[in-house]
Amino acid sequence: MPSPIRRPDRATRLLSAAERDGTHCVWCRRECTGLIRATTDHLVPKVKGGPSWLENEVVSCGRCNRERGHLSPVDWFVECERRGWCPDLGAVVGTLRSLGQAITARGGRRRARPYLAAQLRRLARLEAERTRLAS
């Protein structure tokens, strides 16, 4: 009988996300050191079919992870900006695109696909608006 596929545990995924995006919270940009504990935040929440894959997780401080709850990445991004923070749009968009590629390659995750597509569309509009306002 073949051995089951070993998936990385949460701590390993957190380290990988920190290597990919840096050790700051993608939402508030606080450095996750000392008393500010780093967590993995699922961009597509589990209740929406989001997997516990590295491609669906970003580094988040405990405060942002708790306060975001099940808000969509776009809604939380806008809320972070309203609070005067500078969320990392590049990391959020890059991770969501990576998740889309992973779902295509691995299959499954039917519930996550429409949610993911909608978030990417909304983020593209947000990026376009930012670009338009900057010029």
Side-chain angles (χ1 to χ4, degrees), residues 4-106:
I5 297 172
R6 301 231 25 187
R7 299 201 191 324
D9 64 2
R10 179 179 287 177
T12 303
R13 291 191 318 269
L14 177 59
L15 285 173
S16 296
E19 287 173 5
R20 179 189 66 208
D21 301 326
T23 57
H24 64 278
C25 173
V26 299
W27 304 115
C28 69
R29 299 279 185 129
R30 292 189 307 170
E31 197 64 33
C32 294
T33 58
L35 294 176
I36 301 171
R37 189 175 65 89
T39 64
T40 55
D41 186 7
H42 292 78
L43 291 179
V44 176
K46 290 180 180 182
V47 299
K48 299 287 187 180
S52 289
W53 298 347
L54 173 61
E55 296 89 353
N56 188 35
E57 296 175 334
V58 293
V59 175
S60 174
C61 68
R63 175 191 67 187
C64 286
N65 200 346
R66 276 187 313 279
E67 289 185 19
R68 176 179 168 225
H70 296 302
L71 280 179
S72 73
V74 175
D75 292 337
W76 183 243
F77 188 91
V78 170
E79 173 61 19
C80 290
E81 286 187 325
R82 188 194 67 73
R83 293 179 182 196
W85 303 339
C86 287
D88 191 341
L89 183 61
V92 172
V93 170
T95 302
L96 286 172
R97 287 183 180 145
S98 178
L99 175 60
Q101 293 168 350
I103 289 173
T104 300
R106 296 178 194 167

Side-chain angles (χ1 to χ4, degrees), residues 112-124:
R113 290 175 189 220
Y115 183 88
L116 173 62
Q119 291 304 299
L120 285 169
R121 281 191 306 273
R122 290 180 67 198
L123 284 166

